């Protein structure tokens, strides 16, 4: 079962940064935080993952609090194509336990 | 490098029939996982295969089964289809099984409709 908590929805203006919060207060010491997104009816797309250090790639940045109980995914310059459901997941060994995610709508 | 491919993309079956879905992982990936996505239950883990062996299984009835071939390609089978089996079936591949840093990459899915 999913162990992360995310807001159900959020809006973002095109061209602005989108900050997506996630609570994972029960995460264990060696579990990674993964972020995926799913555009309507497509397969989930990997975005980024991290353990305890902040991470950045060409898609996004991941900020993890020092106590590892929460994290924030940052999309630096949101575009209309970033409209999707974003999932924050505690990676458990062999499977990904998806919750309901956050529906992000980017508006022009 | 080509991504994960799934065939067919769409399928319509009737209750009581059986269905086989196919997944080709990213080249070099040895682990294949299957997930079911429905509006009511969301994305749920079905099972995972590594080196032709089912290593892990989710909480689904025995009507759901799978296998993996020596080239890492995988199939899943659903027998005696029920209306509730209508879903998007997703396949994901990763380099190896059972490591926290082993990123899973998903295919586009197979949309199964049971009438």
């Amino acid at each position: 079962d999913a162990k992360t908590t995310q807001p159900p929805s959020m809006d973002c203006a095109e061209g602005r940064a989108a900050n997506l919060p996630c609570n994972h207060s029960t995460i264990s010491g060696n579990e990674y935080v993964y972020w995926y997104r799913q555009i309507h009816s497509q397969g989930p797309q990997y975005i980024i993952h991290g353990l305890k250090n902040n991470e950045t790639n060409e898609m996004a940045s991941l900020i993890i609090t020092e106590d590892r109980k929460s994290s924030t995914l940052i999309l630096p310059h949101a575009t209309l194509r970033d409209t999707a459901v974003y999932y924050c997941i505690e990676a458990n060994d062999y499977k990904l336990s998806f919750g309901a995610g956050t529906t992000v709508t980017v508006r022009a | 490098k080509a991504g994960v491919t799934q065939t067919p993309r769409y399928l319509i079956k009737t209750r009581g029939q059986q269905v086989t879905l196919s997944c080709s992982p990213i080249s070099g990936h040895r682990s294949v996982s299957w997930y079911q996505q429905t509006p009511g239950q969301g994305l749920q883990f079905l099972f995972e295969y590594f080196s032709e062996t089912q290593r892990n299984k989710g909480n689904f009835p025995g009507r759901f089964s799978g296998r993996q071939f020596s080239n890492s390609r995988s199939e899943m089978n659903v027998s005696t289809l029920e209306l509730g089996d209508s879903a998007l079936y997703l396949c994901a591949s990763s380099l190896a099984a059972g490591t926290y840093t082993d990123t899973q990459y998903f295919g586009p899915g197979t949309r199964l409709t049971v009438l």
Side-chain angles (χ1 to χ4, degrees), chain B residues 92-115:
Chain B
S93 76
S94 59
L95 276 171
T99 65
Y100 295 116
T101 60
D102 197 23
T103 301
Q104 294 185 32
Y105 296 91
F106 285 82
T110 294
R111 172 74 63 184
L112 171 65
T113 301
V114 181
L115 303 175

Side-chain angles (χ1 to χ4, degrees), chain B residues 35-55:
Chain B
Y35 294 80
Q36 180 197 63
Q37 185 173 28
T38 60
Q41 299 298 318
L43 268 152
Q44 294 185 289
F45 172 77
L46 278 158
F47 30 64
E48 183 245 352
Y49 285 86
F50 178 76
S51 291
E52 302 178 64
T53 302
Q54 185 183 91
R55 291 171 63 96

Side-chain angles (χ1 to χ4, degrees), chain A residues 28 30-32 34 36 38 40-46 49 87 91-99, chain B residues 9 33 35 37 43 45 48 56-57 88 90 97-109 111:
Chain A
S28 61
N30 56 358
E31 285 184 323
Y32 280 69
Y34 273 78
Y36 284 80
Q38 187 174 28
H40 184 62
S41 294
Q42 297 181 21
Q45 178 188 23
Y46 165 75
H49 72 281
Y87 297 98
N92 178 345
D93 206 5
Y94 56 87
K95 70 176 182 180
L96 300 173
S97 297
F98 288 82
Chain B
R9 293 292 311 278
S33 298
Y35 294 80
Q37 185 173 28
L43 268 152
F45 172 77
E48 183 245 352
N56 299 287
K57 189 176 189 305
L88 180 66
L90 293 155
T99 65
Y100 295 116
T101 60
D102 197 23
T103 301
Q104 294 185 32
Y105 296 91
F106 285 82
R111 172 74 63 184

Side-chain angles (χ1 to χ4, degrees), chain A residues 2-46:
Chain A
K3 296 179 285 185
T4 60
T5 303
Q6 299 178 253
S9 64
M10 64 182 294
D11 285 359
C12 175
E14 187 178 23
R16 303 295 295 268
N19 297 312
L20 284 64
C22 177
N23 287 323
H24 32 79
S25 57
T26 61
I27 194 169
S28 61
N30 56 358
E31 285 184 323
Y32 280 69
V33 176
Y34 273 78
W35 284 83
Y36 284 80
R37 72 181 183 184
Q38 187 174 28
I39 298 169
H40 184 62
S41 294
Q42 297 181 21
Q45 178 188 23
Y46 165 75

Side-chain angles (χ1 to χ4, degrees), chain B residues 54-65:
Chain B
Q54 185 183 91
R55 291 171 63 96
N56 299 287
K57 189 176 189 305
N59 188 26
F60 278 82
R63 300 185 298 107
F64 292 82
S65 62

